[in-house]
Amino acid sequence: MEEPRVAVVIEDEDDIRSLLSVVLAQAGFEVHGAADGAEGVELVREHSPLVTTLDVNMPGMDGFETAKRIRALSSTYIVMLSARTEEIDALQGLEAGADDYVAKPFRPRELRARIDAMLRRPRHHVGAESATSAASTDADAWLEHRGLRLNVDTRIVEVDEAGVELTRSEFDLLADLLAAGRRVRAKSDLALMLRGDAFGANSYVSDSDARAIEVHMANLRRKLGESPAQPRWIETVRGVGYRLTA
Protein backbone atom coordinates (compact mmCIF):
# COMPACT_ATOMS: atom_id res chain seq x y z
CA MET A 1 0.00 0.00 0.00
CA GLU A 2 1.12 3.56 -0.66
CA GLU A 3 2.34 5.36 2.44
CA PRO A 4 -0.16 7.93 3.78
CA ARG A 5 0.77 11.48 2.80
CA VAL A 6 0.84 13.18 6.18
CA ALA A 7 2.80 16.36 6.90
CA VAL A 8 3.65 18.30 10.04
CA VAL A 9 4.33 22.06 9.85
CA ILE A 10 6.30 23.51 12.78
CA GLU A 11 6.26 27.30 12.53
CA ASP A 12 5.63 29.98 15.17
CA GLU A 13 4.32 32.63 12.71
CA ASP A 14 0.63 32.03 12.04
CA ASP A 15 0.59 33.38 8.47
CA ILE A 16 3.57 31.34 7.33
CA ARG A 17 2.22 28.22 9.04
CA SER A 18 -1.06 28.76 7.20
CA LEU A 19 0.71 29.23 3.85
CA LEU A 20 2.78 26.08 4.31
CA SER A 21 -0.32 24.14 5.28
CA VAL A 22 -2.09 25.27 2.10
CA VAL A 23 0.90 24.40 -0.10
CA LEU A 24 1.16 20.91 1.38
CA ALA A 25 -2.59 20.33 1.33
CA GLN A 26 -2.64 21.20 -2.38
CA ALA A 27 0.09 18.57 -2.84
CA GLY A 28 -2.22 15.98 -1.32
CA PHE A 29 -1.02 15.96 2.28
CA GLU A 30 -3.05 15.76 5.45
CA VAL A 31 -1.42 18.59 7.43
CA HIS A 32 -0.97 19.08 11.18
CA GLY A 33 0.45 22.36 12.47
CA ALA A 34 2.48 23.26 15.56
CA ALA A 35 3.55 26.66 16.87
CA ASP A 36 6.71 25.51 18.69
CA GLY A 37 9.30 22.75 18.69
CA ALA A 38 8.03 20.75 21.64
CA GLU A 39 4.50 20.57 20.20
CA GLY A 40 5.96 19.69 16.80
CA VAL A 41 7.97 16.77 18.17
CA GLU A 42 4.81 15.36 19.76
CA LEU A 43 2.88 15.73 16.49
CA VAL A 44 5.64 13.84 14.66
CA ARG A 45 5.51 11.12 17.31
CA GLU A 46 1.72 10.90 17.03
CA HIS A 47 1.20 11.10 13.26
CA SER A 48 4.45 9.65 11.76
CA PRO A 49 4.50 12.20 8.92
CA LEU A 50 6.13 11.64 5.56
CA VAL A 51 7.28 15.29 5.46
CA THR A 52 7.99 17.81 8.24
CA THR A 53 8.71 21.49 7.64
CA LEU A 54 10.56 23.22 10.43
CA ASP A 55 11.32 26.86 11.19
CA VAL A 56 14.78 27.56 12.57
CA ASN A 57 14.03 30.66 14.65
CA MET A 58 11.42 29.70 17.23
CA PRO A 59 11.05 30.73 20.87
CA GLY A 60 12.24 28.13 23.35
CA MET A 61 13.56 25.08 21.51
CA ASP A 62 15.06 26.26 18.20
CA GLY A 63 14.81 24.42 14.90
CA PHE A 64 18.22 22.74 15.17
CA GLU A 65 17.43 21.10 18.50
CA THR A 66 13.92 20.23 17.30
CA ALA A 67 15.38 18.52 14.21
CA LYS A 68 17.73 16.43 16.36
CA ARG A 69 14.85 15.27 18.56
CA ILE A 70 12.67 14.46 15.56
CA ARG A 71 15.47 12.57 13.84
CA ALA A 72 15.98 10.43 16.95
CA LEU A 73 12.44 9.06 16.65
CA SER A 74 11.40 9.44 13.01
CA SER A 75 12.60 9.04 9.44
CA THR A 76 10.34 11.85 8.23
CA TYR A 77 11.76 14.07 5.50
CA ILE A 78 12.74 17.32 7.24
CA VAL A 79 12.75 20.64 5.37
CA MET A 80 14.18 23.53 7.37
CA LEU A 81 13.04 27.07 6.57
CA SER A 82 14.81 30.17 7.76
CA ALA A 83 15.42 33.84 6.97
CA ARG A 84 19.03 33.16 8.00
CA THR A 85 20.84 32.59 4.72
CA GLU A 86 24.42 32.22 5.95
CA GLU A 87 26.07 29.02 4.74
CA ILE A 88 26.93 27.97 8.30
CA ASP A 89 23.21 27.94 9.18
CA ALA A 90 22.40 25.60 6.30
CA LEU A 91 25.27 23.31 7.23
CA GLN A 92 24.18 23.28 10.86
CA GLY A 93 20.69 22.31 9.72
CA LEU A 94 22.02 19.40 7.67
CA GLU A 95 24.15 18.23 10.59
CA ALA A 96 21.04 18.29 12.81
CA GLY A 97 19.35 15.85 10.45
CA ALA A 98 17.50 18.02 7.91
CA ASP A 99 17.17 16.80 4.33
CA ASP A 100 16.91 20.28 2.80
CA TYR A 101 17.28 23.91 3.86
CA VAL A 102 15.09 26.55 2.23
CA ALA A 103 15.55 30.30 2.66
CA LYS A 104 12.67 32.63 3.48
CA PRO A 105 10.90 34.15 1.70
CA PHE A 106 10.26 31.07 -0.41
CA ARG A 107 8.23 30.49 -3.56
CA PRO A 108 5.50 27.88 -3.02
CA ARG A 109 6.20 26.24 -6.39
CA GLU A 110 9.91 25.92 -5.57
CA LEU A 111 9.13 24.42 -2.18
CA ARG A 112 6.82 21.85 -3.76
CA ALA A 113 9.46 20.98 -6.37
CA ARG A 114 12.09 20.41 -3.69
CA ILE A 115 9.73 18.25 -1.65
CA ASP A 116 8.92 16.22 -4.77
CA ALA A 117 12.66 15.68 -5.35
CA MET A 118 13.08 14.44 -1.78
CA LEU A 119 10.19 12.02 -2.15
CA ARG A 120 11.98 10.34 -5.05
CA ARG A 121 14.68 9.18 -2.63
CA PRO A 122 14.23 6.05 -0.48
CA ARG A 123 13.76 6.56 3.22
CA HIS A 124 15.99 5.09 5.91
CA HIS A 125 13.61 3.74 8.53
CA VAL A 126 14.49 4.23 12.18
CA GLY A 127 15.05 1.04 14.12
CA ALA A 128 16.81 -2.23 13.48
CA GLU A 129 15.64 -4.59 10.77
CA SER A 130 14.59 -8.05 11.87
CA ALA A 131 17.09 -10.87 11.57
CA THR A 132 14.63 -12.78 9.42
CA SER A 133 14.30 -10.04 6.81
CA ALA A 134 18.05 -9.48 6.75
CA ALA A 135 18.78 -13.18 6.33
CA SER A 136 16.27 -13.55 3.50
CA THR A 137 17.64 -10.65 1.46
CA ASP A 138 19.13 -11.50 -1.93
CA ALA A 139 22.92 -11.54 -1.80
CA ASP A 140 23.01 -9.27 -4.88
CA ALA A 141 21.56 -6.45 -2.76
CA TRP A 142 24.77 -6.21 -0.72
CA LEU A 143 27.67 -3.93 -1.65
CA GLU A 144 30.92 -4.70 0.19
CA HIS A 145 34.39 -3.19 0.57
CA ARG A 146 37.05 -4.15 3.13
CA GLY A 147 34.67 -5.22 5.90
CA LEU A 148 32.07 -2.53 5.13
CA ARG A 149 28.71 -3.92 3.95
CA LEU A 150 25.63 -2.06 2.72
CA ASN A 151 22.30 -3.55 1.71
CA VAL A 152 20.46 -1.43 -0.84
CA ASP A 153 17.10 -3.10 -0.19
CA THR A 154 16.92 -3.12 3.62
CA ARG A 155 19.21 -0.05 3.94
CA ILE A 156 21.36 -1.80 6.52
CA VAL A 157 25.02 -0.84 6.98
CA GLU A 158 27.57 -2.96 8.84
CA VAL A 159 31.24 -2.48 9.67
CA ASP A 160 32.97 -5.73 10.64
CA GLU A 161 29.48 -7.21 11.25
CA ALA A 162 28.48 -4.39 13.64
CA GLY A 163 25.49 -2.25 12.64
CA VAL A 164 25.96 1.45 11.84
CA GLU A 165 23.09 3.98 11.95
CA LEU A 166 23.26 6.53 9.12
CA THR A 167 21.01 9.35 8.01
CA ARG A 168 19.29 9.07 4.64
CA SER A 169 21.82 11.33 2.94
CA GLU A 170 24.80 9.52 4.46
CA PHE A 171 23.40 6.16 3.35
CA ASP A 172 22.76 7.40 -0.19
CA LEU A 173 26.27 8.84 -0.47
CA LEU A 174 27.86 5.62 0.77
CA ALA A 175 25.74 3.47 -1.57
CA ASP A 176 26.71 5.67 -4.52
CA LEU A 177 30.42 5.42 -3.71
CA LEU A 178 30.29 1.66 -3.18
CA ALA A 179 28.52 1.22 -6.51
CA ALA A 180 31.08 3.44 -8.28
CA GLY A 181 34.08 1.52 -6.93
CA ARG A 182 37.35 3.19 -7.91
CA ARG A 183 35.64 5.69 -10.19
CA VAL A 184 35.85 9.20 -8.76
CA ARG A 185 32.49 10.74 -7.84
CA ALA A 186 32.64 14.53 -8.05
CA LYS A 187 31.01 16.59 -5.31
CA SER A 188 28.71 18.12 -7.93
CA ASP A 189 27.53 14.68 -9.06
CA LEU A 190 26.90 13.62 -5.47
CA ALA A 191 24.96 16.83 -4.77
CA LEU A 192 22.76 16.24 -7.82
CA MET A 193 22.19 12.65 -6.74
CA LEU A 194 21.00 13.74 -3.30
CA ARG A 195 18.73 16.35 -4.88
CA GLY A 196 17.21 13.76 -7.18
CA ASP A 197 18.39 15.74 -10.22
CA ALA A 198 21.18 13.43 -11.39
CA PHE A 199 19.45 12.90 -14.72
CA GLY A 200 17.38 16.08 -14.82
CA ALA A 201 17.76 19.40 -16.55
CA ASN A 202 18.52 21.33 -13.35
CA SER A 203 22.26 20.66 -13.16
CA TYR A 204 23.38 23.81 -11.31
CA VAL A 205 25.39 23.06 -8.17
CA SER A 206 26.30 25.92 -5.84
CA ASP A 207 29.29 26.22 -3.53
CA SER A 208 26.88 25.59 -0.63
CA ASP A 209 25.75 22.32 -2.25
CA ALA A 210 29.36 21.17 -2.55
CA ARG A 211 30.09 22.23 1.02
CA ALA A 212 27.04 20.26 2.20
CA ILE A 213 28.53 17.14 0.60
CA GLU A 214 31.73 17.74 2.60
CA VAL A 215 29.68 17.98 5.81
CA HIS A 216 27.79 14.77 5.03
CA MET A 217 31.06 12.99 4.22
CA ALA A 218 32.67 14.18 7.46
CA ASN A 219 29.68 12.86 9.43
CA LEU A 220 29.72 9.58 7.47
CA ARG A 221 33.41 9.01 8.15
CA ARG A 222 32.95 9.77 11.84
CA LYS A 223 30.14 7.22 12.16
CA LEU A 224 32.14 4.59 10.27
CA GLY A 225 35.15 5.25 12.52
CA GLU A 226 37.40 6.24 9.64
CA SER A 227 40.31 8.68 9.67
CA PRO A 228 40.44 10.98 6.61
CA ALA A 229 44.24 11.01 6.93
CA GLN A 230 44.45 7.20 6.75
CA PRO A 231 41.21 6.10 5.11
CA ARG A 232 40.14 2.46 5.17
CA TRP A 233 37.19 2.86 2.79
CA ILE A 234 36.80 6.33 1.26
CA GLU A 235 39.61 8.52 0.00
CA THR A 236 39.41 12.17 -0.98
CA VAL A 237 40.50 13.16 -4.49
CA ARG A 238 41.60 16.70 -3.80
CA GLY A 239 39.71 19.36 -5.72
CA VAL A 240 37.34 16.81 -7.28
CA GLY A 241 35.49 14.44 -4.96
CA TYR A 242 35.71 10.95 -3.49
CA ARG A 243 36.27 7.29 -4.40
CA LEU A 244 36.82 3.95 -2.69
CA THR A 245 40.26 3.02 -1.48
CA ALA A 246 42.25 0.47 -3.46
Side-chain angles (χ1 to χ4, degrees), residues 106-244:
F106 59 88
R107 295 193 298 268
R109 288 181 62 183
E110 178 189 359
L111 179 63
R112 280 198 51 178
R114 294 174 78 152
I115 289 174
D116 288 342
M118 283 194 310
L119 296 180
R120 292 196 293 268
R121 293 166 52 196
R123 290 212 293 169
H124 171 61
H125 292 278
V126 173
E129 300 285 343
S130 69
T132 301
S133 65
S136 63
T137 301
D138 194 309
D140 291 341
W142 288 95
L143 298 172
E144 301 186 37
H145 179 60
R146 302 180 69 178
L148 171 62
R149 303 175 75 229
L150 177 148
N151 191 290
V152 295
D153 290 338
T154 61
R155 298 182 74 82
I156 293 173
V157 176
E158 296 177 347
V159 171
D160 298 329
E161 300 185 355
V164 180
E165 286 292 328
L166 301 179
T167 66
R168 184 181 308 106
S169 295
E170 292 159 3
F171 181 96
D172 291 345
L173 285 173
L174 181 57
D176 190 278
L177 290 170
L178 286 170
R182 287 287 288 166
R183 288 188 295 112
V184 178
R185 292 290 283 150
K187 295 175 188 176
S188 58
D189 293 335
L190 294 172
L192 289 171
M193 181 272 296
L194 288 188
R195 269 195 347 223
D197 291 334
F199 304 104
N202 182 18
S203 59
Y204 174 72
V205 176
S206 67
D207 290 341
S208 294
D209 291 329
R211 176 65 181 135
I213 295 298
E214 295 174 3
V215 173
H216 288 313
M217 288 300 302
N219 290 335
L220 173 60
R221 282 170 157 158
R222 175 176 52 80
K223 291 180 180 181
L224 295 177
E226 173 170 85
S227 166
Q230 296 180 311
R232 177 177 171 185
W233 301 289
I234 303 168
E235 63 184 30
T236 301
V237 180
R238 190 173 298 277
V240 182
Y242 306 91
R243 68 181 175 192
L244 294 187

Side-chain angles (χ1 to χ4, degrees), residues 73-123:
L73 62 90
S74 173
S75 59
T76 181
Y77 292 95
I78 298 177
V79 182
M80 276 194 162
L81 297 105
S82 176
R84 293 157 58 174
T85 57
E86 294 295 324
E87 181 179 340
I88 187 63
D89 296 316
L91 298 178
Q92 189 175 350
L94 295 173
E95 289 179 331
D99 296 285
D100 203 354
Y101 191 99
V102 177
K104 294 179 180 178
F106 59 88
R107 295 193 298 268
R109 288 181 62 183
E110 178 189 359
L111 179 63
R112 280 198 51 178
R114 294 174 78 152
I115 289 174
D116 288 342
M118 283 194 310
L119 296 180
R120 292 196 293 268
R121 293 166 52 196
R123 290 212 293 169

Side-chain angles (χ1 to χ4, degrees), residues 37-83:
E39 181 186 0
V41 171
E42 290 307 309
L43 284 179
V44 170
R45 192 191 310 274
E46 178 181 354
H47 296 286
S48 300
L50 181 59
V51 172
T52 299
T53 68
L54 176 59
D55 183 36
V56 170
N57 297 313
M58 294 185 294
M61 188 193 310
D62 68 12
F64 301 125
E65 179 60 27
T66 302
K68 291 177 182 177
R69 298 194 185 190
I70 289 173
R71 187 54 73 221
L73 62 90
S74 173
S75 59
T76 181
Y77 292 95
I78 298 177
V79 182
M80 276 194 162
L81 297 105
S82 176

